[in-house]
């Protein structure tokens, strides 16, 4: 992981300022939580760092590299969306392996990495199921596994543990 910095990020939607001069620094190895009421810009900030939202002004730096306007797939970040964003036509295996296949990883390595991720989130044996066949908590863990399996420099989580029961939430936090 490299140091992540945002400098004076601003994002407007019409007259609404979703982000207003947001600056932060997260050093290598640090965890940061952004807290605030609904509508305060938390998701917009995370989405801007991921490259899903383009800021109107300001900069996003990963190490010494300005990634403000780089495509999301060139940032080496991964994001777990609040809505999970699983592809309904893909199995658990296909959802988790998507990023690895885009990176043209060998099929055996893909299988090994997906197996590792499934074990990490306590979902071994579910690789042939579709998202509609999973509970909300299981879907959330598939989204988390999909983000972790690509070994990103920055892992962005938009309320990633909200639908998990307390026991599973504790186990995932402690890994």
């Amino acid at each position: 992981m490299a140091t992540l910095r945002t400098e004076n990020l601003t994002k407007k939607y019409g007259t609404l300022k979703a982000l207003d001069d947001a600056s932060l620094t997260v050093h290598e190895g640090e965890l940061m939580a952004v807290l605030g009421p609904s509508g305060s810009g938390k998701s917009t900030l995370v989405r801007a760092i991921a490259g899903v939202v383009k800021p109107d002004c300001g900069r996003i730096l990963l190490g010494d590299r300005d990634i403000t306007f780089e495509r999301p797939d060139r940032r080496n970040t991964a994001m777990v969306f609040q809505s999970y964003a699983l592809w309904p036509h893909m199995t658990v295996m296909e959802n988790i392996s998507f990023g690895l296949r885009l990176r043209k990883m060998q099929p055996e390595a893909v299988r090994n990495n997906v197996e590792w991720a499934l074990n990490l989130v306590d979902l071994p044996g579910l690789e042939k199921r579709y998202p509609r066949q999973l509970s909300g908590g299981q879907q959330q863990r598939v989204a988390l596994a999909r983000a972790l399996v690509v070994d990103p420099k920055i892992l962005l989580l938009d309320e990633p543990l909200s639908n998990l029961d307390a026991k599973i939430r504790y186990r995932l936090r402690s890994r």
Side-chain angles (χ1 to χ4, degrees):
M1 183 179 150
T3 297
L4 169 70
R5 282 193 343 254
T6 68
E7 297 175 348
N8 312 103
L9 284 185
T10 299
K11 178 63 181 172
K12 293 179 187 175
Y13 295 102
T15 59
L16 173 71
K17 266 192 183 175
L19 279 179
D20 188 11
D21 201 29
S23 297
L24 63 84
T25 301
V26 183
H27 296 284
E28 186 169 339
E30 281 186 332
L31 297 173
M32 174 176 278
V34 179
L35 303 173
S38 182
S40 63
K42 303 178 300 293
S43 292
T44 303
L45 175 63
V46 171
R47 288 170 176 260
I49 295 168
V52 178
V53 166
K54 301 292 180 212
D56 296 318
C57 65
R59 297 191 322 157
I60 303 166
L61 299 148
L62 186 54
D64 294 330
R65 204 169 109 225
D66 187 336
I67 63 169
T68 309
F69 297 105
E70 278 191 18
R71 293 183 352 208
D73 62 316
R74 302 231 171 145
R75 294 176 182 226
N76 198 15
T77 62
M79 182 166 174
V80 178
F81 292 90
Q82 203 169 4
S83 65
Y84 319 137
L86 298 178
W87 291 282
H89 65 288
M90 291 184 184
T91 64
V92 167
M93 170 71 155
E94 292 166 333
N95 266 284
I96 294 173
S97 67
F98 186 78
L100 300 174
R101 290 182 284 123
L102 283 179
R103 288 170 174 81
K104 303 204 185 313
M105 189 177 276
Q106 294 297 314
E108 186 176 334
V110 169
R111 277 191 301 279
N112 290 337
N113 281 293
V114 171
E115 184 178 312
W116 168 83
L118 284 167
N119 284 318
L120 182 69
V121 298
D122 290 332
L123 292 177
L126 299 183
E127 45 280 331
K128 292 183 180 175
R129 291 195 187 174
Y130 289 89
R132 69 181 174 277
Q133 297 170 311
L134 303 173
S135 70
Q138 288 171 327
Q139 289 178 30
Q140 194 166 33
R141 287 185 278 162
V142 169
L144 185 57
R146 182 180 58 197
L148 292 170
V149 78
V150 296
D151 194 27
K153 284 187 179 183
I154 303 290
L155 178 62
L156 302 162
L157 308 167
D158 193 0
E159 297 192 33
L161 307 177
S162 61
N163 285 335
L164 302 179
D165 65 49
K167 187 175 167 184
I168 292 172
R169 204 169 29 245
Y170 176 79
R171 275 203 320 261
L172 286 174
R173 277 193 214 128
S174 65
R175 291 185 178 196

